[in-house]
Amino acid sequence: MAKATVHVTLKNGVLDPQGKAIQHALETLGFSGINGVRQGKYIELDLAETDSEKTQSAVTDMCEKLLANTVIETYRIEVSE
Amino acid sequence: MAKATVHVTLKNGVLDPQGKAIQHALETLGFSGINGVRQGKYIELDLAETDSEKTQSAVTDMCEKLLANTVIETYRIEVSE
Amino acid sequence: MKSAVIVFPGSNCDRDIAVTLEKVTGQAPAMVWHRDSTLPEGLGLIAVPGGFSYGDYLRSGAMAANSPIIADVKKKAEAGVLTLGICNGFQVLTECGLLPGALIRNRDLKFVCRDVNLSVERTDTAFTGKYTGGQVIRIPVAHHDGNYFADNETLDRLESNGHVAFRYCNDNGKVADEANPNGSARNIAGVFNETRTVLGLMPHPERLADERLGGQDGVPMFESLLEQLS
Amino acid sequence: MTIENASITADDIASHGLTEDEYQLALDILGGREPNMVELGIFSVMWSEHCSYKSSKKWLKTLPTEAPWVICGPGENAGVVDIGYGLAAIFKMESHNHPSFIEPFQGAATGVGGILRDVFTMGARPVANLNALRFGAIDHPKTKHLVAGVVGGIGSYGNCVGVPTVGGEVNFDPAYNGNILVNAMTVGLADQNRIFYSAASGPGNPVIYVGSKTGRDGIHGATMASAEFDEDTEEKRPTVQVGDPFTEKLLIEACLELMATDTIVAIQDMGAAGLTCSSFEMCSKGGTGIELDLDAVPIREEGMTPYEIMLSESQERMLMVLQPGKEHIAQAIFEKWELDFAIVGHVTDTGRMVLKKGGASVADMPIDPLAEASPEYDRPWVPTEKAEVVPSDSVKHGDWTESLKKLIGAPDLASRRWVWEQYDHMVMGDTVQRPGGDAAVVRIHGSERGLAITSDCTPRYVKADPFEGGKQAVAETFRNLTATGARPLAVTDNLNFGNPEKPPIMGQLVEAVKGIGAACTALDTPVVSGNVSLYNETDGQPILPTPTIGAIGIIDSLDNTATVAFKGDGDAVLLVGGPDDISGGWLGQSLYLRELHGVEMGAPPPVDLFQERKVGDAVRGLIQNGDIDTCHDVSDGGVAIALTEMALSGDIGVTIDIGADVSAPWLFGEDQGRYIITCIADRLTTVTSTFENEGILVRQIGTTGGDSISFTGDASIGLSTLRDFHEGWFPDYMAA
Ligand SMILES: Nc1ncnc2c1ncn2[C@@H]1O[C@H](COP(=O)(O)OP(=O)(O)O)[C@@H](O)[C@H]1O
Ligand SMILES: [Mg+2]
């Protein structure tokens, strides 16, 4: 059993309406000194595969095919037991 | 300048329609051995504050007030320089 | 005109586009289930409808773009069969690479359903031939993720090659920020592919193609297609 | 029998919301045996206020429920009405108040999901959603967050399933600070010969479960919905359910596809108290029994106990009884739509509910005795004291243009565009009148006929006089439907009140129901479905009594309808109906008194039901004849607000001339039973004589034209100013 986590974040330069809205809302709530907020996705996968290299490559494949839109997003994969 | 990252995930037992749909879609794409998928949010904050304890407590406050919906979600904070 | 409407789980404007296609062209489209692997032969038009395919979960259009039928949609579209993606259909066409750019969350994060004005950017295409140059049309939008994004290089290329189909504008045709319902780059509401045989747009021309519903500005698009194909 | 005795404690009984007497009754029903926890849970939910209507039943029975066009009245999942040409309209309204206060987005979303299921369970394709919302004071710290969440949740669910959200209401009042109201209504269309009911029959017939898997969602939701809030309510939060509109959309399509085959014997959605309520009610109605194998129930989480499985409120699930041997047909359809499908048991002739897990019996209880013993209380009640009528000179009236500006931008009167633009109100391609008018009009697909739909209630009237307020709520739906040209057919009611154990609150309920009954009888719009939500109190502070009425009407030809917008310049503007006194104007409980003078006082305007019917029928007749196409009823804010709404909607002004001086009571009084219509000069005689022949008051009060609201010989105020106030309030409030 392996657990893989994937962080999908917007590429630099891609507009992030959600991040901007969060920053604005935080400022309205009285928080100051916020230089920037970016929002991404965090995906946890429970996999039957135990070989971590195979997991890594399968998850990369999942990211390329579905989990990330590489026109606007990048991803980062971590595999643990 | 501190950077804080926040992971917001659904509490255990709370239905995750997105995770369910992602798992289903991955299976349709031919990936097998997926026992479960959960989707959460990943938020990066750039903050002017340099004291990491103060940052930690400010971000906790942000999570309670805005970033997480504590009725159904939990959050995890990491602070770095 | 023989046409097909692709139906995904969660499509919900499939019937709306079918009704309009039948009304304008006199022929009911084939409804094609996403799990089929081939489209009917002899199609003039492939329509990818609006809705929430797969609930818009993960990213709007992402899961639908991986449906079995999409391989054949791509093949036929690349071979020149006219292909129209409306709203969620536009999102699907960008996700599967038939159109450039991406549709991200609306600028103010809210779903928006209302009539908007569009300027028709060119009338020498199979989709827009029945509009007049510089015409301003009124068409509804209804979406959460309609904020068109592409990098500047892509946007410049789209503009210089005349691949922008529609822009959000004021009553008088002025392309202005206050007329932009979702924050789309350069007010872009719809784009063509390189050969102008694939069109994706966020507004719903099929929703104002019936006087009972308050307008007919969507009709010329379908009449253009009909003329082109008959 | 292997049922283990669980040694129920007094605490268990109390935490399940049962009284000592009710528990004794439970022991009797089980033949003296103690229930185990599963059974106790089942007693608890079946006898909860939510499922048993124990406080309201006595009074609900007094409502008129029949008419030649009523196919199915209260008692099924939704009401069914004959709308001609072999079609039926199926509709109901339901509350999701408590969950929406705890988690506004998901609470409201799952409320929409629940009411949709009530309607498509009966074989109808949902064609329209409405939502009647009440929030606390605008300056209460929670209000904005609740508004944003509730509207977001309703939109997210309705937009995704692809059913247009076409109407509703939004009000603000401090009485809702701790208990907001989210009442959702769905209207569907079905073939009259394909309507599905819930009575389980045919011992041996398979029972199947379809939709989503069962998780630990909302366990005890039904009992929670029947309890007053207190400080620990926040602790109950983990029971919140998350809606999955995508699965619901698939469920709609799959169920409708299955319904087109001849396989279903009975069907029931799993709503409050999930599997328990649904299986119990199906058998109780069918006079049968049921045996369920809980190991067969699709489960989302590991280690779920029978108690959890039976009481889970996971959403997007249905229970069906099929004809024997037809399981494969259903299975193929549900697999096509990628939904869970399981055969979980069968119908029996034992009259008992038997639950098995791991081969052992985990519950075994009789159905009829439990259902029949469902408590019915005749709770003590006291009538609401009647308030004095407020004389029109009781306050000092200021400049009318200032008053109008303030009122048209007041929280309860400002445009709701901010709300309905977040709802897809056009999907399905049949929305003929969009939100913003009196009633929404949805074309009956493929025809030239339409359904008009509205929801109304004026809680401040109901509080001041529950009987008149109950009448008024029904009368306003009648007027809103009539104003489009529709013939009102039937209503659904959603009775939201405080704690019925308090005689004054019970009195509000009783008198409001009497008022609703009187109005429904007089206007010939029977009650065909409804819902009761009680205990809407926090720390002893009750909500305003809010009996929301949802109503539908039929438009026989979409060629002859009316909208509120002024259509052209120079048209005569007529005020029709109401009491015969031009200088009067009913100020008691008016928004004018509340917003401009800061007082809420007096008796609310009375409703003359005989007159109401007569005026409505005459107005409708003219619309149906094509004599007029512009009509708006006069309600909150009086004549001045109605005129302003008509002018803003058509972007055409009006000059008022009543041969008398401007008077605030005339402008802002809220006398009932009135409409404003316009007509072109050619038709003026026909139109006025139609009313005069019926003895109905009709008076030309002005002429359309220009770009302001003006009074002959007096001040005027520009439409663009009024528009800024009217359209500005909601977005400004939400952005601040
Ligand atoms: N929550 C809502 N959702 C959709 N439409 C709404 C909502 N609230 C109000 N509306 C629409 O706004 C218009 C004005 O509402 P209201 O003032 O309650 O009308 P009326 O006084 O005619 O009953 C109506 O068309 C109504 O359907
Ligand atoms: Mg009205």
Side-chain angles (χ1 to χ4, degrees):
Chain A
M1 282 267 306
K3 201 174 128 168
T5 62
V6 179
H7 286 83
V8 180
T9 49
L10 288 169
K11 284 186 179 164
N12 273 337
V14 176
L15 185 75
D16 178 9
Q18 270 134 323
K20 249 171 80 176
I22 293 173
Q23 175 166 1
H24 181 78
L26 288 172
E27 283 163 356
T28 313
L29 283 173
F31 293 98
S32 60
I34 306 174
N35 298 329
V37 180
R38 305 280 283 171
Q39 179 175 322
K41 280 175 215 146
Y42 170 67
I43 300 164
E44 291 176 348
L45 301 140
D46 277 326
L47 303 167
E49 181 59 61
T50 48
D51 180 305
S52 82
E53 234 163 79
K54 281 196 195 147
T55 304
Q56 179 82 33
S57 98
V59 176
T60 306
D61 211 18
M62 294 178 191
C63 286
E64 289 289 329
K65 284 206 177 127
L66 182 74
L67 301 181
N69 176 348
T70 52
V71 174
I72 49 172
E73 294 168 329
T74 53
Y75 57 88
R76 193 176 85 227
I77 300 171
E78 278 157 53
V79 177
S80 62
E81 299 291 284
Chain B
M1 284 267 303
K3 201 173 127 169
T5 61
V6 180
H7 286 84
V8 181
T9 48
L10 286 169
K11 285 185 182 166
N12 272 339
V14 173
L15 176 72
D16 177 9
Q18 307 229 35
K20 195 172 103 180
I22 294 171
Q23 173 168 359
H24 189 79
L26 289 172
E27 284 163 354
T28 313
L29 282 173
F31 294 98
S32 60
I34 306 174
N35 298 330
V37 180
R38 306 278 284 170
Q39 179 176 325
K41 276 180 230 152
Y42 170 69
I43 300 164
E44 291 175 348
L45 301 141
D46 277 325
L47 302 167
E49 182 60 63
T50 50
D51 180 307
S52 82
E53 233 163 79
K54 281 196 195 146
T55 303
Q56 179 81 33
S57 98
V59 176
T60 305
D61 211 18
M62 294 176 190
C63 286
E64 289 287 330
K65 287 203 177 128
L66 182 78
L67 302 182
N69 177 351
T70 52
V71 180
I72 51 177
E73 295 168 332
T74 53
Y75 56 88
R76 192 176 88 226
I77 300 171
E78 279 156 52
V79 176
S80 62
E81 297 291 284
Chain C
M1 180 177 89
K2 200 165 162 191
S3 60
V5 174
I6 314 293
V7 184
F8 302 103
S11 291
N12 63 32
C13 305
D14 45 338
R15 188 184 80 178
D16 303 2
I17 181 76
V19 165
T20 301
L21 282 172
E22 180 166 3
K23 183 174 155 222
V24 179
T25 69
Q27 198 179 338
M31 306 304 280
V32 178
W33 186 233
H34 72 118
R35 250 195 252 154
D36 291 353
S37 50
T38 51
L39 290 159
E41 284 307 312
L43 283 182
L45 174 74
I46 303 167
V48 189
F52 285 67
S53 58
Y54 293 94
D56 273 2
Y57 297 153
L58 187 66
R59 283 186 320 280
S60 302
M63 298 190 199
N66 283 296
S67 289
I69 193 68
I70 290 295
D72 202 40
V73 170
K74 277 172 93 165
K75 201 169 108 197
K76 297 231 158 68
E78 276 155 8
V81 177
L82 296 174
T83 304
L84 172 64
I86 298 171
C87 196
N88 195 227
F90 184 15
Q91 295 159 343
V92 173
L93 295 183
T94 57
E95 280 282 343
C96 74
L98 278 172
L99 290 171
L103 291 143
I104 61 175
R105 185 53 41 107
N106 293 348
R107 169 168 62 183
D108 68 358
L109 307 190
K110 293 201 294 287
F111 187 97
V112 57
C113 178
R114 73 162 105 104
D115 289 351
V116 298
N117 291 307
L118 300 177
S119 75
V120 181
E121 297 288 298
R122 55 187 305 160
T123 55
D124 58 349
T125 75
F127 299 91
T128 56
K130 290 276 183 179
Y131 291 109
T132 53
Q135 190 178 348
V136 177
I137 59 175
R138 183 171 59 91
I139 302 280
V141 291
H143 60 246
H144 211 161
D145 299 303
N147 187 345
Y148 186 71
F149 176 86
D151 56 39
N152 278 323
E153 203 182 308
T154 308
L155 292 172
D156 289 344
R157 199 180 62 237
L158 282 174
E159 294 198 311
S160 60
N161 293 348
H163 293 161
V164 176
F166 300 99
R167 285 184 216 259
Y168 302 109
C169 67
N170 287 336
D171 292 353
N172 56 15
K174 189 162 165 271
V175 174
D177 190 54
E178 74 268 11
N180 189 337
N182 51 32
S184 287
R186 305 187 193 179
N187 279 41
I188 292 174
V191 297
F192 295 113
N193 68 342
E194 298 277 331
T195 51
R196 295 186 198 97
T197 51
V198 179
L199 168 65
L201 77 170
M202 288 314 296
H204 287 268
E206 83 282 17
R207 286 193 183 185
L208 273 189
D210 182 347
E211 206 44 65
R212 273 278 182 255
L213 305 181
Q216 300 257 43
D217 283 2
V219 171
M221 180 178 295
F222 301 99
E223 287 175 345
S224 306
L225 290 165
L226 182 62
E227 187 179 78
Q228 185 72 23
L229 293 164
S230 46
Chain D
M1 183 83 175
T2 55
I3 292 177
E4 286 165 38
N5 268 359
S7 283
I8 300 298
T9 66
D11 265 2
D12 293 334
I13 297 168
S15 73
H16 281 82
L18 293 173
T19 65
E20 244 342 279
D21 289 348
E22 286 168 354
Y23 184 67
Q24 275 309 321
L25 199 58
L27 291 180
D28 292 347
I29 287 171
L30 292 178
R33 171 172 69 81
E34 250 195 1
N36 61 25
M37 282 304 270
V38 180
E39 292 165 332
L40 185 70
I42 294 174
F43 276 111
S44 156
V45 298
M46 291 314 300
W47 288 353
S48 72
E49 190 67 54
H50 191 85
C51 295
S52 74
Y53 292 95
K54 57 192 169 192
S55 300
S56 55
K57 215 181 318 183
K58 172 182 160 90
W59 299 100
L60 295 179
K61 284 181 195 157
T62 66
L63 290 170
T65 59
E66 283 170 15
W69 54 90
V70 173
I71 296 174
C72 173
E76 276 292 335
N77 285 301
V80 184
V81 170
D82 180 348
I83 55 167
Y85 298 84
L87 290 176
I90 301 189
F91 69 105
K92 184 175 185 233
M93 190 186 292
E94 196 161 75
S95 63
H96 229 214
N97 303 334
H98 295 69
S100 302
F101 183 75
I102 293 171
E103 210 311 277
F105 188 97
Q106 296 297 343
T110 50
V112 174
I115 192 63
L116 280 164
R117 283 192 295 286
D118 272 332
V119 167
F120 72 78
T121 298
M122 297 198 70
R125 176 169 287 281
V127 297
N129 281 331
L130 282 83
N131 58 107
L133 313 176
R134 321 278 163 188
F135 297 102
I138 55 170
D139 55 1
H140 186 276
K142 278 198 169 148
T143 300
K144 219 176 283 182
H145 162 74
L146 291 167
V147 173
V150 165
V151 171
I154 290 172
S156 90
Y157 209 100
N159 299 344
C160 184
V161 296
V163 175
T165 302
V166 296
E169 301 172 84
V170 185
N171 285 162
F172 298 90
D173 192 286
Y176 303 106
N177 281 350
N179 296 77
I180 61 170
L181 301 184
V182 174
N183 295 174
M185 170 170 167
T186 295
V187 184
L189 290 175
D191 269 344
Q192 281 176 24
N193 54 18
R194 285 217 179 272
I195 294 170
F196 293 81
Y197 297 95
S198 59
S201 61
N205 282 347
V207 175
I208 68 164
Y209 167 119
V210 300
S212 280
K213 293 184 176 21
T214 297
R216 292 190 173 91
D217 315 86
I219 289 171
H220 269 334
T223 34
M224 179 170 95
S226 309
E228 215 180 293
F229 271 17
D230 57 32
E231 280 172 2
D232 326 321
T233 308
E234 310 262 319
E235 292 303 302
K236 295 182 182 157
R237 282 181 158 193
T239 62
V240 165
Q241 310 109 310
V242 169
D244 182 357
F246 170 57
T247 297
E248 179 103 336
K249 166 72 176 164
L250 304 185
L251 199 53
I252 295 176
E253 298 304 332
C255 286
L256 292 177
E257 197 171 318
L258 182 60
M259 284 163 169
T261 67
D262 276 320
T263 41
I264 300 177
V265 173
I267 173 167
Q268 167 84 32
D269 66 301
M270 291 188 229
L275 200 46
T276 297
C277 246
S278 52
S279 52
F280 212 95
E281 280 174 6
M282 289 176 88
C283 295
S284 170
K285 286 201 181 113
T288 49
I290 193 167
E291 187 175 314
L292 294 177
D293 175 9
L294 300 188
D295 292 317
V297 173
I299 296 295
R300 198 174 79 227
E301 296 175 69
E302 275 167 37
M304 286 188 66
T305 64
Y307 182 91
E308 291 171 328
I309 294 170
M310 289 308 291
L311 298 184
S312 159
E313 294 194 346
S314 288
Q315 303 286 298
E316 293 94 21
R317 303 179 299 161
M318 293 277 200
L319 203 62
M320 298 182 190
V321 175
L322 296 185
Q323 291 173 14
K326 300 278 180 73
E327 295 90 327
H328 63 283
I329 299 176
Q331 184 161 8
I333 290 173
F334 284 94
E335 278 171 5
K336 168 186 165 197
W337 289 99
E338 304 175 14
L339 294 164
D340 271 293
F341 170 95
I343 300 169
V344 293
H346 58 272
V347 179
T348 65
D349 59 5
T350 60
R352 300 182 75 83
M353 173 186 253
V354 176
L355 307 178
K356 298 232 157 124
K357 189 148 198 311
S361 187
V362 292
D364 185 346
M365 52 209 299
I367 288 170
D368 266 359
L370 199 161
E372 274 157 25
S374 159
E376 174 176 333
Y377 296 141
D378 183 2
R379 297 207 187 270
W381 61 279
V382 294
T384 300
E385 222 171 283
K386 301 284 173 285
E388 300 275 312
V389 174
V390 178
S392 62
D393 57 1
S394 59
V395 291
K396 201 171 151 301
H397 304 294
D399 174 0
W400 70 269
T401 60
E402 287 304 311
S403 303
L404 178 56
K405 228 160 54 182
K406 183 132 192 241
L407 266 182
I408 197 74
D412 274 350
L413 281 173
S415 165
R416 270 68 181 118
R417 183 183 302 278
W418 184 90
V419 176
W420 47 257
E421 280 193 349
Q422 293 184 60
Y423 301 152
D424 190 338
H425 46 268
M426 298 181 233
V427 63
M428 296 186 88
D430 285 312
T431 306
V432 173
Q433 283 197 36
R434 302 180 189 180
D438 279 322
V441 176
V442 173
R443 177 173 54 192
I444 295 169
H445 192 66
S447 80
E448 283 299 315
R449 304 191 310 134
L451 276 182
I453 314 166
T454 183
S455 97
D456 292 284
C457 179
T458 313
R460 60 181 193 280
Y461 293 173
V462 187
K463 183 176 181 215
D465 184 337
F467 180 72
E468 283 300 324
K471 279 163 63 185
Q472 195 274 343
V474 176
E476 188 166 351
T477 63
F478 175 86
R479 257 173 249 152
N480 279 331
L481 296 176
T482 296
T484 66
R487 179 162 42 88
L489 290 176
V491 310
T492 179
D493 64 344
N494 198 150
L495 306 176
N496 308 274
F497 289 85
N499 181 348
E501 293 161 36
K502 299 177 181 168
I505 301 284
M506 193 61 208
Q508 292 177 338
L509 174 71
V510 171
E511 291 192 289
V513 169
K514 288 183 178 178
I516 291 168
C520 287
T521 303
L523 303 175
D524 225 358
T525 53
V527 177
V528 294
S529 58
N531 174 248
V532 179
S533 170
L534 302 177
Y535 298 94
N536 291 290
E537 299 201 12
T538 297
D539 299 330
Q541 188 61 50
I543 58 161
L544 298 184
T546 313
T548 313
I549 305 295
I552 65 160
I554 186 85
I555 294 175
D556 290 318
S557 164
L558 288 171
D559 286 334
N560 294 323
T561 62
T563 67
V564 303
F566 285 150
K567 305 288 184 303
D569 285 352
D571 291 346
V573 178
L574 310 181
L575 177 62
V576 181
D580 188 328
D581 183 4
I582 189 134
S583 63
W586 191 281
L587 288 187
Q589 296 302 332
S590 65
L591 284 181
Y592 171 74
L593 279 192
R594 191 180 87 186
E595 296 297 322
L596 284 134
H597 297 279
V599 289
E600 287 184 65
M601 60 174 183
V607 176
D608 177 338
L609 292 170
F610 176 74
Q611 194 69 12
E612 188 75 52
R613 173 100 188 240
K614 197 160 80 170
V615 177
D617 289 350
V619 167
R620 188 181 320 107
L622 287 169
I623 298 172
Q624 289 175 343
N625 258 334
D627 289 319
I628 58 173
D629 61 4
T630 305
C631 181
H632 190 16
D633 69 313
V634 178
S635 58
D636 281 346
V639 169
I641 292 296
L643 285 171
T644 307
E645 288 169 345
M646 297 173 87
L648 290 177
S649 180
D651 207 13
I652 294 171
V654 57
T655 303
I656 307 168
D657 184 352
I658 53 169
D661 284 344
V662 187
S663 116
W666 183 81
L667 282 171
F668 303 114
E670 296 181 6
D671 305 73
Q672 297 293 297
R674 300 184 297 168
Y675 300 80
I676 292 173
I677 61 175
T678 70
C679 93
I680 53 173
D682 284 3
R683 301 273 169 89
L684 191 54
T685 328
T686 323
V687 169
T688 46
S689 63
T690 302
F691 292 115
E692 279 159 359
N693 292 342
E694 292 281 335
I696 295 167
L697 192 76
V698 55
R699 170 176 293 122
Q700 178 165 358
I701 59 168
T703 310
T704 58
D707 57 5
S708 63
I709 309 265
S710 60
F711 231 104
T712 302
D714 197 294
S716 78
I717 177 165
L719 290 189
S720 67
T721 306
L722 290 167
R723 189 182 305 283
D724 289 346
F725 278 88
H726 190 52
E727 293 294 346
W729 183 80
F730 223 117
D732 290 351
Y733 170 66
M734 292 307 293

